[in-house]
């Protein structure tokens, strides 16, 4: 074993940072053996010193001079678990300038400034690893970056937000309303208080979708490219309708090649998923990502997507990987964006659709509804009617059709005298 320790600077001592410090201390002999040199924690950057941060953070190592920690202590590896854009961004850029490799869990930063970070990393000839930025403990980014790099990924479907998956699971299993399920998630600490919008409006999942799409399709995808719709408008009636037709509603991150190969579609939205689909079995706050590729076929990655110890597991895995690279004098995979596939507008993506219509059941109504679908070239897959007279409901599932055709279909349906209202529309994903 090399006698010279590798110096690790840790930025952040919150839920994840303190668990990273714990794993580095508790597993020090094993990590040293796996790396080929000891890992030495040389400082922990915090907003305020003098605060008790638990037994794994030595107060003598804490500093509020984060810039100094990155540039003045000879760090080989800078670990950023602060979150947010700044100061994380400029600290990481400084780390590269100082010749350190970086491990980060910062999805927002990667989804908005990934290209800048990768370029700075390349210029410095060091590493940027970010496994923990998507789906916590689940090994997903390394499989996409390395294991599947010889394959051609067609589609990735992910449940990548535990908070919304918990809320939707409660709505599905107990019939709870969105607000009751959200309150329960807040009580359990899954959803933020008082403002849960980053999770429930889909922004957290959208940042992860951008990172996944960039890796899966060797293209630069940023947060701004991702269409995003959250779950706040999902009603108990939507959930019951999904259940009645053999589906479950999940918030999905979808990244897929367009049917004509011109580009990719990247979006986050609630979707009805067949209960037979492997992702339908992912309950509560768990995450899972389903990958479809030409040679490997269908793969699913499942596990805890958040939490201190699970996220720290991914961070420390990355620390070991970049430490090994430093010992060997090599480096890990660079950004791969050569394919440069454009992200197509939502209008040009295709999906199946579920549409529930409240209408008056009389002769000719079905024909007029079917004619609207035909007029916009949307083919009906299944149709189910409940009730009769003035109080009928028609539930229609379409074959795959373009979003813009579905939007025109809904507009025309609203214009029919016999249709009182469109009670629900939902995308249907998976076979
Ligand atoms: N808030 C996220 C979730 C975890 O609910 O899954 C961190 O991305």
């Amino acid at each position: 074993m090399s006698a010279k320790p590798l110096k690790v600077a840790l930025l952040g001592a919150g839920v994840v940072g303190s668990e990273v410090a714990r794993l580095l201390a508790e597993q020090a002999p094993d990590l040293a053996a796996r790396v080929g040199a000891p890992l030495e924690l040389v400082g922990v950057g915090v907003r305020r010193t003098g605060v008790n941060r638990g037994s794994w953070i030595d107060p003598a190592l804490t500093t509020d001079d984060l810039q100094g920690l990155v540039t003045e202590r000879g760090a080989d590896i800078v670990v950023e678990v602060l979150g947010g854009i700044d100061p994380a961004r400029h600290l990481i850029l400084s780390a590269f300038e100082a010749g350190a490799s970086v491990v980060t869990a910062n999805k927002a930063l990667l989804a908005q400034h990934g290209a800048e970070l990768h370029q700075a990393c390349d210029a410095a000839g060091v590493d940027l690893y970010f496994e923990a930025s998507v789906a916590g403990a689940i090994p997903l980014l390394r499989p996409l970056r390395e294991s599947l790099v010889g394959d051609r990924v067609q589609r990735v479907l992910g449940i990548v937000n535990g908070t919304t998956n918990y809320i939707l699971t409660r709505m599905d299993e107990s019939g709870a309303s969105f607000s009751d399920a959200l309150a329960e998630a807040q009580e359990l600490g899954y959803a933020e208080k008082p403002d849960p919008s980053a999770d429930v409006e889909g922004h957290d999942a959208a940042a992860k979708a951008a990172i996944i799409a960039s890796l899966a399709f060797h293209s630069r995808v940023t947060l701004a490219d991702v269409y995003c719709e959250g779950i706040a408008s999902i009603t108990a009636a939507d959930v019951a309708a999904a259940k009645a037709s053999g589906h479950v509603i999940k918030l999905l991150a979808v990244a897929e090649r367009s049917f004509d190969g011109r580009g990719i579609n990247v979006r986050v939205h609630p979707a009805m998923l067949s209960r037979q689909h492997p992702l339908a079995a992912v309950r509560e706050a768990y995450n899972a990502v389903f990958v479809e590729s030409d040679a490997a076929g269908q793969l699913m990655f499942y596990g805890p997507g958040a939490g201190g110890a699970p996220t720290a597991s991914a961070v420390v895995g990355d620390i070991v990987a970049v430490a090994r690279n430093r010992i060997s004098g090599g480096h890990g995979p660079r950004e791969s964006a050569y394919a440069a596939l454009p992200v197509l507008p939502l209008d040009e993506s295709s999906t199946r659709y579920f549409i529930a219509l409240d209408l008056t059941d009389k002769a000719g109504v079905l024909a007029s509804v079917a004619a609207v679908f035909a007029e916009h070239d949307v083919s009906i897959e299944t149709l189910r009617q409940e009730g009769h007279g003035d109080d009928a409901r028609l539930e229609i599932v379409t074959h795959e059709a373009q979003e813009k055709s579905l939007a025109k279909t809904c507009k025309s349906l609203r214009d029919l005298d016999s249709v009182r209202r469109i009670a629900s529309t939902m995308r249907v994903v998976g076979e």
Side-chain angles (χ1 to χ4, degrees):
M1 184 186 298
S2 152
K4 197 167 157 254
L6 288 170
K7 295 181 179 175
V8 179
L10 177 60
L11 301 174
V15 179
V16 176
S18 56
E19 285 295 309
V20 169
R22 178 177 71 81
L23 292 180
L24 289 176
E26 278 189 345
Q27 304 194 49
D30 283 325
L31 296 177
R34 292 170 196 174
V35 168
L39 297 173
E40 180 195 354
L41 189 60
V42 294
V44 181
V46 294
R47 265 186 205 106
R48 273 183 309 129
T49 53
V51 175
N52 180 3
R53 297 179 187 276
S55 50
W56 300 108
I57 306 278
D58 177 356
L61 286 180
T62 62
T63 173
D64 56 9
D65 178 11
L66 277 64
Q67 185 68 28
L69 172 57
V70 165
T71 54
E72 290 164 14
R73 297 199 194 179
D76 296 286
I77 301 165
V78 171
V79 179
E80 186 274 310
V81 286
L82 298 164
I85 303 299
D86 275 317
R89 175 175 154 264
H90 76 250
L91 289 167
I92 290 176
L93 294 173
S94 296
F96 290 144
E97 271 172 33
S101 290
V102 171
V103 172
T104 175
N106 195 328
K107 60 189 167 260
L109 184 58
L110 283 156
Q112 291 173 69
H113 299 278
E116 178 189 31
L117 298 183
H118 284 297
Q119 279 164 3
C121 173
D122 283 2
V126 291
D127 275 329
L128 172 62
Y129 276 50
F130 44 99
E131 184 65 64
S133 64
V134 180
I138 306 173
L140 171 68
L141 304 191
R142 201 162 303 140
L144 287 173
R145 256 178 137 184
E146 299 183 37
S147 320
L148 289 168
V149 74
D151 206 337
R152 182 178 165 86
V153 174
Q154 292 293 346
R155 180 149 82 147
V156 184
L157 299 178
I159 295 173
V160 292
N161 181 269
T163 305
T164 46
N165 203 47
Y166 182 85
I167 292 170
L168 291 170
T169 303
R170 295 304 299 144
M171 291 178 76
D172 181 60
E173 295 183 359
S174 74
S177 66
F178 169 75
S179 54
D180 286 349
L182 170 61
E184 196 181 319
Q186 285 177 315
E187 278 318 300
L188 290 168
Y190 291 133
E192 301 276 338
K193 271 184 188 173
D195 180 8
S197 57
D199 292 313
V200 301
E201 287 175 10
H203 305 308
D204 173 82
K208 294 165 181 170
I211 296 169
I212 289 172
S214 302
L215 299 182
F217 300 112
H218 302 272
S219 299
R220 279 188 185 151
V221 180
T222 69
L223 180 61
D225 297 320
V226 182
Y227 171 79
C228 177
E229 214 178 276
I231 65 163
S233 61
I234 303 290
T235 63
D238 292 331
V239 172
K243 223 171 179 171
S245 60
H247 294 89
V248 61
I249 298 177
K250 296 289 188 189
L251 182 72
L252 293 184
V254 181
E256 61 190 1
R257 288 183 196 275
S258 64
F259 68 96
D260 56 7
R262 281 187 307 119
I264 50 178
N265 302 119
V266 190
R267 53 191 201 269
V268 168
H269 53 68
M272 284 173 43
L273 196 64
S274 162
R275 286 192 184 259
Q276 311 305 319
H277 194 284
L279 285 173
V282 179
R283 296 175 59 251
E284 304 202 324
Y286 280 91
N287 284 194
V289 179
F290 190 79
V291 179
E292 299 172 18
S293 66
D294 285 354
Q298 298 181 332
L299 306 157
M300 187 155 102
F301 302 85
Y302 169 89
T311 308
S313 165
V315 169
V316 176
D318 278 356
I319 294 173
V320 169
V322 303
R324 284 173 168 166
N325 293 340
R326 286 181 91 87
I327 298 276
S328 68
H331 54 69
R334 295 284 175 241
E335 180 191 30
S336 174
Y338 74 93
L341 292 170
V343 180
L344 302 177
L346 178 74
D347 262 6
E348 293 180 31
S349 68
S350 294
T351 182
R352 290 157 68 224
Y353 238 83
F354 169 89
I355 302 170
L357 301 174
D358 286 343
L359 43 65
T360 305
D361 175 10
K362 59 182 183 197
V365 166
L366 186 57
S368 62
V369 167
V372 166
F373 281 81
E375 183 192 335
H376 297 295
D377 201 23
V378 177
S379 171
I380 293 173
E381 182 184 291
T382 63
L383 189 146
R384 195 170 81 101
Q385 183 176 326
E386 274 183 2
H388 57 271
D390 287 344
D391 201 16
R393 172 166 287 196
L394 208 54
E395 293 179 351
I396 295 163
V397 177
T398 72
H399 286 293
E400 206 155 281
Q402 282 211 327
E403 286 269 349
K404 61 184 165 206
S405 307
L406 286 155
K408 285 183 199 154
T409 302
C410 289
K411 185 171 179 306
S412 302
L413 286 171
R414 282 190 191 95
D415 292 341
L416 288 181
D417 288 341
S418 53
V419 172
R420 280 201 314 285
R421 67 176 188 131
I422 297 180
S424 168
T425 58
M426 182 89 53
R427 296 175 186 86
V428 181
V429 172
E431 294 313 310

